[in-house]
Amino acid sequence: MHDWTKIIKATTVADPVSGAVNTPIQLSSTFNQASFDNFGKYDYSRSGNPTRDVAEHAVATLEDGKFGYLFSTGMAAVSSVLMTFSQGDHLIVSKYVYGGTFRVLEEVLPRFGIDHTFVDLGDLDAVKAAIRPNTKAIYIETPSNPILAVTDIQAVTDIAHAHGLIAIADNTFMSPVLQKPLHLGADIVVHSATKFLAGHSDIVAGAVVTDRQDLADRIYFIQNAVGATLGVTDCWLLLRGIKTLGVRMQQSSAAAQRIAAWLEQQPQVTRVCYPGLPSNAGYVTQQRQAVNGGAVLSFDVGSEDAARTVAETTTIPEFSVSLGGTETILSYPPKMSHAELSPEERAKSGITPGLLRFSVGLEDPDDLIADLAQAFAKIGGATQP
Ligand SMILES: *Cc1c(COP(=O)(O)O)cnc(C)c1O
């Protein structure tokens, strides 16, 4: 079955009682047990809920995995996966990992004796060299935020498995319709479902998918024990959002490809980061492991002043954090997602003062290009007498 069909079938699961085509929102914390000796499938909604079950199954289906788990946010999903590790364990993590994941690894896990090394996963020798006797996992995120650096998922998961480690992949930026890390050897996939999966900038949510029963058991144990589960109404909104994932990703990634190619031609733009461009260092790997370059790109307009001009004079994009909505979102990583890094750390990560991130929504790409063009024409204007 093709992804688009799978998406609709997995999110359209009728109520067994009424036949309602849409899964009901089962707002019940507790479930009546018909027999004193034999309890039913559900008892308490932290442990399981029928609406959440449908949404968890849908997310698993999209990733071609067997087991899905939903969490209150993407960070709750990431943290719950990381909580399956124990004191004395060591993790190898992409040095371009999402800021919230960085914060948990740096500030929270060391208090529980879980250590990590940040590595450029593009350097496979460095990955091998970072493996210690107590290393348990390699954590991948591709393409990375905000410079869209591509990691070869298969190459890294091969190294992980050759050394008895598991591989975890954050697939937020691609979504399961553009990239399926489980097919490329990943053992666990995590998502900020806040972004493309929900797709409407309405809820915050997180997802975890795996194919392995042993890992599923560990993840479910933490989900139930720690309890950062996704609320039932948000599970329904997530199901509703996912229904259009296929068409949204197709439209937004085709628009991103056009906009990226146009940006490359603009004299005001010094660098375009988009793995769908043949000029991009990750292009060949991206072509092999994903459907296309995705719906997020970033570009450098040379200076903070120029970036400010673009942010202040474009009229279509929302100037805000986050990504993956139906509306195009323009953000300025040096003051938003990566404000906590020092200027030197930002420079090392390629987050230059003129860098803007662009999450392409569902507007007409010609309108977005025209809007950027009129903004670019004003760059430098503020300094003219
Ligand atoms: C947003 C994001 C997260 C965190 O998800 P939240 O829903 O904001 O908690 C994790 N990874 C990536 C790549 C993200 O973009």
Side-chain angles (χ1 to χ4, degrees):
M1 209 184 277
H2 291 96
D3 273 354
W4 288 26
T5 313
K6 248 193 269 178
I7 288 170
I8 301 305
K9 296 313 285 175
T11 55
T12 311
V13 178
D15 174 21
V17 176
S18 67
V21 162
N22 286 305
T23 304
I25 302 176
Q26 297 279 9
L27 282 171
S28 198
S29 59
T30 184
F31 296 81
N32 178 264
Q33 305 303 324
S35 145
F36 186 83
D37 291 308
N38 294 303
F39 290 177
K41 182 173 178 194
Y42 301 105
D43 58 1
Y44 188 60
S45 274
R46 169 158 41 74
S47 311
N49 173 285
T51 312
R52 198 175 85 216
D53 261 5
V54 172
E56 288 183 331
H57 186 253
V59 171
T61 303
L62 298 195
E63 285 287 3
D64 283 347
K66 286 200 192 80
F67 311 98
Y69 302 93
L70 289 174
F71 294 86
S72 52
T73 65
M75 280 321 303
V78 169
S79 302
S80 295
V81 167
L82 295 176
M83 268 189 261
T84 64
F85 297 102
S86 302
Q87 184 173 24
D89 288 350
H90 171 256
L91 313 170
I92 293 171
V93 182
S94 165
K95 75 170 202 180
Y96 298 118
V97 78
Y98 176 74
T101 307
F102 177 89
R103 184 161 51 197
V104 169
L105 288 161
E106 286 276 290
E107 310 282 340
V108 181
L109 294 185
R111 292 198 279 110
F112 299 91
I114 300 167
D115 202 4
H116 61 272
T117 305
F118 291 117
V119 176
D120 177 355
L121 300 185
D123 181 349
L124 299 179
D125 290 331
V127 176
K128 287 180 204 154
I131 296 172
R132 303 180 191 168
N134 59 336
T135 303
K136 291 287 156 53
I138 305 181
Y139 190 102
I140 303 164
E141 187 177 312
T142 183
S144 72
N145 180 31
I147 58 158
L148 290 303
V150 175
T151 294
D152 184 333
I153 301 174
Q154 188 73 61
V156 173
T157 61
D158 283 349
I159 294 174
H161 295 152
H163 293 81
L165 319 178
I166 65 164
I168 304 164
D170 183 332
N171 200 30
T172 300
F173 266 54
M174 278 292 108
S175 91
V177 299
L178 298 186
Q179 178 171 278
K180 289 192 178 61
L182 294 181
H183 289 185
L184 300 159
D187 301 287
I188 297 175
V189 175
V190 297
H191 275 279
S192 171
T194 308
K195 316 290 169 52
F196 289 107
L197 284 173
H200 293 73
S201 303
D202 45 8
I203 60 167
V204 285
V208 178
V209 177
T210 182
D211 240 353
R212 274 176 53 175
Q213 182 76 58
D214 59 330
L215 298 176
D217 291 346
R218 283 161 64 182
I219 292 159
Y220 176 71
F221 181 83
I222 296 290
Q223 185 194 38
N224 186 42
V226 177
T229 55
L230 187 62
V232 175
T233 311
D234 287 352
C235 287
W236 192 91
L237 284 166
L238 178 60
L239 279 171
R240 157 80 151 242
I242 289 174
K243 286 175 192 282
T244 54
L245 181 68
V247 284
R248 283 189 284 109
M249 293 317 295
Q250 185 181 52
Q251 171 64 26
S252 291
S253 53
Q257 181 75 43
R258 269 196 56 199
I259 293 166
W262 176 81
L263 284 167
E264 256 191 335
Q265 307 302 318
Q266 305 313 304
Q268 296 89 348
V269 176
T270 58
R271 177 171 60 128
V272 182
C273 305
Y274 183 67
L277 290 176
S279 59
N280 188 280
Y283 176 74
V284 173
T285 305
Q286 184 74 8
Q287 291 285 108
R288 193 170 61 234
Q289 69 187 16
V291 172
N292 59 36
V296 183
L297 55 90
S298 58
F299 58 94
D300 195 322
V301 287
S303 69
E304 178 173 339
D305 276 344
R308 182 180 296 107
T309 299
V310 174
E312 288 180 347
T313 59
T314 46
T315 61
I316 297 175
E318 298 295 328
F319 182 58
S320 60
V321 299
S322 200
L323 58 109
T326 58
E327 68 289 343
T328 292
I329 295 176
L330 177 70
S331 58
Y332 183 57
K335 280 190 195 292
M336 291 177 164
S337 51
H338 294 71
E340 278 168 46
L341 300 190
S342 68
E344 296 74 38
E345 285 173 316
R346 278 199 291 271
K348 263 198 281 174
S349 303
I351 305 164
T352 40
L355 193 75
L356 289 158
R357 192 183 71 194
F358 208 62
S359 167
V360 181
L362 298 179
E363 304 89 344
D364 191 304
D366 287 335
D367 288 338
L368 289 167
I369 286 172
D371 195 24
L372 288 169
Q374 64 79 26
F376 289 172
K378 296 192 176 80
I379 288 177
T383 60
Q384 303 294 316

